[in-house]
């Protein structure tokens, strides 16, 4: 494996160590001494020759290579990536890339829940989207009032960081909180509430509100501001070449996702397969984007429709950037197969010398061999690999943890329901098979039902005969028909009813008084009416076919 060393050659050498993951087959490479496997957004870097000048601005984490304090962390984020201060002393190999993914394996006692949620900012007086200048004022105010570190790209503030939480901007100014990895749903909900309190404390003074929905309900693409992030300029130019809906996906959608850990390659495989098979149920239960440019769009989840359609109409070289990843169900699937897939997903950019270099449509496999035409002879770093992985958009995404990506953005009361659903829902479906003798104490050394071996295996057994055609059918139809989607001898709602019932049972056995977090989901299943259908009823009734009241209905 390649050793990592500072490009400056002055201050830090990262010694590779070999560790064995909990699997019968693979030897897993620990990427770096003291590197945290739980979050790929941080890495130890030393730039001592530059750190002496930072005492004047101690609250800013500079991401463009300008420097960092000795011994402090630099954020390795996709926007922008770190400068190439960490490079390979030897060329990276495919084995290194496999090892990077496998380094996410961790023992059960270290498993956590991570949540990420996006929301649309808008002016309360006009309902128009926030401009970047307003977002910059908001970020600066939050940083100064609540002690967050600022993340800069050149002269522009593009995010904040505090501990293991970060705030970032999506292409159209969607405001995202990436939460810390936490143990319980109470902690997750407390984190969400703290974030929203801080945001509202500032935005109320600015006349700004935030909207919880999956798709911008009123404004067209030309009305959406463009964030000053170099990677988005490249993506904005590339998207129209591979489909007509890519810019909508970038600028007009919001999601909520849950990030979950795995202990081994085999554990990752089972969770990946279960997540892919059952992702359409999450889409149905959290469908919340029925409006486009002021009118009903014919879908319950316009965001998911765009994702499905965009995947289907991509060119032959790009059609695997998103979707259901059928190869995950092959017997040969594992870390290596995901690496092979990602190596051939077309790239967007490489970040060098404080600039984004357009490599759109090119292959990371060629990059690995030093054959990228814009930078011939240049070899990738693990930062490059990490950032490439963030440009892949399947239903479930593998990094050093698994991301469940099927739910629309929603109001605050649903932000805690999604992790409750994923962690305790699908994988508690057969929890009752363990019997009454399974005590609550046995839950307390793990995060939740998802991490129980018996219930996970049961869900794998339940979905093992679902065909590729059935999984794709659910993905295609659920954005329009939600819980009313026919499936085998019934409706998708009937599957969801059992899921939520046993989810509640599992939460009660866990003993942390967390069942209330499922109330929102339980109500959707009980009535069979998705959040989007409730909005459409209001639109055709109380709202008099005007979409403007949705900004108040779904206001944070």
């Amino acid at each position: 494996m390649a050793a990592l060393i500072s490009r400056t050659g002055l201050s830090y050498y990262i010694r590779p160590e070999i560790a064995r993951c909990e699997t019968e087959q693979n030897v897993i490479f620990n990427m770096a001494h003291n590197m945290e496997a739980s979050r790929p957004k941080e890495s130890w870097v030393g730039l001592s020759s530059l750190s002496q000048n930072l005492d004047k601005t101690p609250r800013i984490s500079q991401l463009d290579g300008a420097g960092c304090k000795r011994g402090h962390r630099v954020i390795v984020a996709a926007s922008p990536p770190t400068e190439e201060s960490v490079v390979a002393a030897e060329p990276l190999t495919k084995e290194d890339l496999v090892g990077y993914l496998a380094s996410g394996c961790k023992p059960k006692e270290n498993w956590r829940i991570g949540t990420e949620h996006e929301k649309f900012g808008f002016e309360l007086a006009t309902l128009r989207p926030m401009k970047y200048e307003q977002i910059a004022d908001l970020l600066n105010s939050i940083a100064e009032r609540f002690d967050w570190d600022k993340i800069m790209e050149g002269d522009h503030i593009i995010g904040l960081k505090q501990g293991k939480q970060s705030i970032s901007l999506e292409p159209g100014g969607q405001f995202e909180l990436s939460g810390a990895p936490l143990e319980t749903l109470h902690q997750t909900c407390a984190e969400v509430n703290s974030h929203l309190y801080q945001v509202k404390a500032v935005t109320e003074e600015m006349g700004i509100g935030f909207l919880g929905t999956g798709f911008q309900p009123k404004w067209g693409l030309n009305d959406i501001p463009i964030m000053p992030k170099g990677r988005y300029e490249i993506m904005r130019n590339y998207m129209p070449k591979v489909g007509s809906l890519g810019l909508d996906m970038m600028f007009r959608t919001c999601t909520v996702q849950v990030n979950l850990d795995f202990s081994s390659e085999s554990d990752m495989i089972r969770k990946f397969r279960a997540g892919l098979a059952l992702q359409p149920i999450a889409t149905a239960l959290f469908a919340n984007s029925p409006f486009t440019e002021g009118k009903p769009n014919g879908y319950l989840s316009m965001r998911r429709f765009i994702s499905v359609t965009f995947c289907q109409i991509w060119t032959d070289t790009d059609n695997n950037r998103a979707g259901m990843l059928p190869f995950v169900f092959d017997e040969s699937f594992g870390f290596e197969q995901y690496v092979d897939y990602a190596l051939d997903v077309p790239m967007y950019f490489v970040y060098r010398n404080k600039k984004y270099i357009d490599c759109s449509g090119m292959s990371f496999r060629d990059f690995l061999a030093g054959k990228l035409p814009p930078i011939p002879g240049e070899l990738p770093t693990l930062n490059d690999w990490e950032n490439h992985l963030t440009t892949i958009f399947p239903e479930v995404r593998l990094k050093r943890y698994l991301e469940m990506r099927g739910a629309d953005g929603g109001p605050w009361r649903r932000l805690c329901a999604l992790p409750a659903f994923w962690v305790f829902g699908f994988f508690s479906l057969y929890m009752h098979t363990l019997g009454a003798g399974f005590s609550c104490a046995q839950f307390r050394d793990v995060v939740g039902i998802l991490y129980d071996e018996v219930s996970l295996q049961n869900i794998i057994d339940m979905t093992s005969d679902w065909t590729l055609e059935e999984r794709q059918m659910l993905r295609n139809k659920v954005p329009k028909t939600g819980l009313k989607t026919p499936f085998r001898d019934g409706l998708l709602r009937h599957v969801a009813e059992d899921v939520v019932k046993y989810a509640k049972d599992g939460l009660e056995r866990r003993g942390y008084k967390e069942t209330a977090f499922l109330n929102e989901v339980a109500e959707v299943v009980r009535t069979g009416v998705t959040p989007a259908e409730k909005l459409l009823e209001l639109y055709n009734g109380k709202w008099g076919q005007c979409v403007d009241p949705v900004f108040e209905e779904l206001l944070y």
Side-chain angles (χ1 to χ4, degrees):
M1 179 182 174
L4 303 179
I5 188 168
S6 167
R7 176 165 290 231
T8 64
L10 297 175
S11 59
Y12 201 80
Y13 176 79
I14 302 179
R15 183 184 303 277
E17 295 176 350
I18 297 177
R20 188 171 295 274
C21 182
E22 294 179 322
T23 177
E24 300 80 15
Q25 305 170 28
N26 287 12
V27 175
I28 306 306
F29 292 89
N30 187 1
M31 290 293 102
H33 180 60
N34 285 337
M35 191 176 196
E36 289 185 357
S38 63
R39 280 303 209 214
K41 295 183 179 178
E42 299 180 348
S43 181
W44 287 102
V45 183
L47 297 173
S48 62
S49 62
L50 300 173
S51 63
Q52 58 188 351
N53 296 322
L54 284 197
D55 290 339
K56 298 177 182 177
T57 54
R59 297 302 304 162
I60 295 180
S61 298
Q62 195 76 5
L63 296 190
D64 60 6
C68 66
K69 286 185 176 181
R70 184 193 304 267
H72 281 217
R73 292 180 182 179
V74 173
I75 302 169
V76 182
S79 318
T82 52
E83 187 64 31
E84 64 273 30
S85 52
V86 178
V87 299
E90 301 172 6
L92 290 174
T93 66
K94 191 175 86 168
E95 185 181 53
D96 295 327
L97 308 184
V98 173
Y100 173 85
L101 295 179
S103 70
C105 297
K106 54 178 64 69
K108 284 186 178 181
E109 60 267 22
N110 292 335
W111 289 355
R112 297 293 183 266
I113 308 166
T115 56
E116 301 181 26
H117 57 88
E118 302 165 356
K119 46 202 171 291
F120 295 107
F122 65 96
E123 298 174 349
L124 292 172
T126 66
L127 305 183
R128 295 193 68 85
M130 287 179 70
K131 304 177 183 68
Y132 170 72
E133 292 74 18
Q134 295 169 308
I135 294 173
D137 289 343
L138 172 59
L139 290 172
N140 280 312
S141 296
I142 292 174
E144 292 159 8
R145 190 177 302 189
F146 298 105
D147 199 33
W148 288 70
D149 294 328
K150 299 178 183 180
I151 303 173
M152 309 295 293
E153 182 172 338
D155 295 330
H156 295 105
I157 184 170
I158 59 164
L160 302 173
K161 183 163 181 68
Q162 186 181 80
K164 294 185 177 181
Q165 300 179 78
S166 63
I167 295 172
S168 59
L169 303 180
E170 293 301 299
Q174 302 97 316
F175 208 72
E176 179 179 14
L177 174 71
S178 296
L182 300 169
E183 291 186 69
T184 72
L185 296 180
H186 293 291
Q187 293 171 343
T188 296
C189 214
E191 177 186 66
V192 169
N193 288 336
S194 174
H195 167 69
L196 294 179
Y197 164 78
Q198 293 179 11
V199 170
K200 286 177 68 67
V202 177
T203 55
E204 285 178 353
E205 300 169 0
M206 299 173 60
I208 296 296
F210 278 97
L211 177 70
T213 184
F215 192 81
Q216 167 57 247
K218 183 177 177 68
W219 303 101
L221 272 174
N222 292 336
D223 300 302
I224 308 300
I226 299 172
M227 296 300 101
K229 298 171 72 170
R231 67 176 287 178
Y232 294 154
E233 179 67 20
I234 292 171
M235 292 173 68
R236 188 162 64 100
N237 292 332
Y238 179 66
M239 283 290 192
K241 299 176 183 178
V242 292
S244 59
L245 296 175
L247 295 180
D248 280 314
M249 188 170 68
M250 286 181 63
F251 290 98
R252 295 204 286 177
T253 64
C254 278
T255 185
V256 182
Q257 71 180 49
V258 178
N259 304 329
L260 302 168
D261 290 319
F262 46 82
S263 64
S264 66
E265 182 173 54
S266 59
D267 188 41
M268 177 277 294
I269 293 169
R270 290 185 295 158
K271 289 173 180 172
F272 206 144
R273 289 173 177 170
L276 282 174
L278 296 172
Q279 200 71 226
I281 299 179
T283 296
L285 289 173
F286 291 87
N288 191 44
S289 48
F291 304 117
T292 300
E293 298 181 19
K295 297 179 181 179
N297 51 40
Y299 294 86
L300 303 179
S301 177
M302 184 66 174
R303 185 189 68 86
R304 294 314 296 153
F305 164 72
I306 285 175
S307 176
V308 170
T309 306
F310 189 42
C311 174
Q312 291 173 342
I313 64 178
W314 262 336
T315 65
D316 289 341
T317 58
D318 227 15
N319 59 5
N320 277 331
R321 190 182 297 276
M324 294 295 283
L325 306 186
F327 66 88
V328 172
F329 295 88
D330 293 344
E331 290 185 5
S332 61
F333 177 67
F335 291 124
E336 183 176 0
Q337 288 71 28
Y338 194 86
V339 167
D340 282 330
Y341 153 72
L343 283 172
D344 293 322
V345 172
M347 297 175 63
Y348 282 139
F349 60 83
V350 173
Y351 189 72
R352 292 290 186 273
N353 300 318
K354 305 180 187 179
K355 294 182 180 179
Y356 287 87
I357 299 170
D358 189 343
C359 298
S360 53
M362 301 175 192
S363 164
F364 203 98
R365 195 180 297 277
D366 288 341
F367 192 13
L368 204 62
K371 296 180 180 179
L372 279 190
I375 46 175
E378 186 81 21
L379 295 173
T381 70
L382 286 175
N383 290 340
D384 295 319
W385 176 240
E386 180 178 70
N387 283 284
H388 177 57
L389 292 177
T390 69
T391 67
I392 303 172
F393 312 120
E395 302 291 286
V396 177
R397 181 162 63 186
L398 175 62
K399 297 181 184 174
R400 288 187 287 174
Y401 48 87
L402 286 166
E403 297 177 342
M404 305 294 168
R405 299 166 44 81
D408 281 359
W412 72 266
R413 61 187 178 272
R414 276 183 228 140
L415 297 182
C416 301
L418 184 66
F421 183 64
W422 270 113
V423 175
F424 302 103
F426 295 145
F427 301 97
S428 62
L429 183 58
Y430 287 94
M431 194 60 215
H432 65 295
T433 62
L434 297 177
F438 195 83
S439 70
C440 292
Q442 290 175 268
F443 290 92
R444 291 175 181 159
D445 62 342
V446 297
V447 175
I449 304 302
L450 172 59
Y451 300 137
D452 175 75
E453 291 294 325
V454 174
S455 27
L456 177 55
Q457 187 57 52
N458 279 330
I459 208 70
I460 292 294
D461 293 342
M462 185 189 77
T463 60
S464 62
D465 67 340
W466 290 17
T467 66
L468 170 63
E469 291 74 21
E470 285 177 322
R471 294 193 300 269
Q472 191 62 46
M473 179 276 294
L474 288 174
R475 182 172 186 259
N476 292 346
K477 291 188 176 181
V478 159
K480 190 165 189 174
T481 53
L483 292 174
K484 299 178 180 66
T485 303
F487 184 67
R488 295 193 170 180
D489 58 350
L491 300 176
L492 195 61
R493 177 186 174 187
H494 302 144
V495 181
E497 284 174 344
D498 288 339
V499 168
V500 173
K501 177 183 182 300
Y502 293 117
K504 281 198 157 187
D505 292 345
L507 285 171
E508 289 172 357
R509 285 191 291 265
R510 176 171 158 85
Y512 286 156
K513 299 182 179 180
E514 294 166 314
T515 55
F517 294 118
L518 274 176
N519 286 347
E520 282 285 320
V521 173
E523 179 66 10
V524 173
V525 171
R526 185 186 69 80
T527 62
V529 179
T530 64
E533 289 167 302
K534 290 183 178 180
L535 293 176
L536 288 168
E537 182 180 351
L538 288 168
Y539 173 86
N540 289 308
K542 181 180 177 181
W543 296 353
Q545 296 190 337
C546 175
V547 79
D548 289 5
V550 77
F551 287 85
E552 182 177 355
E553 180 72 20
L554 300 181
L555 179 69
Y556 277 100

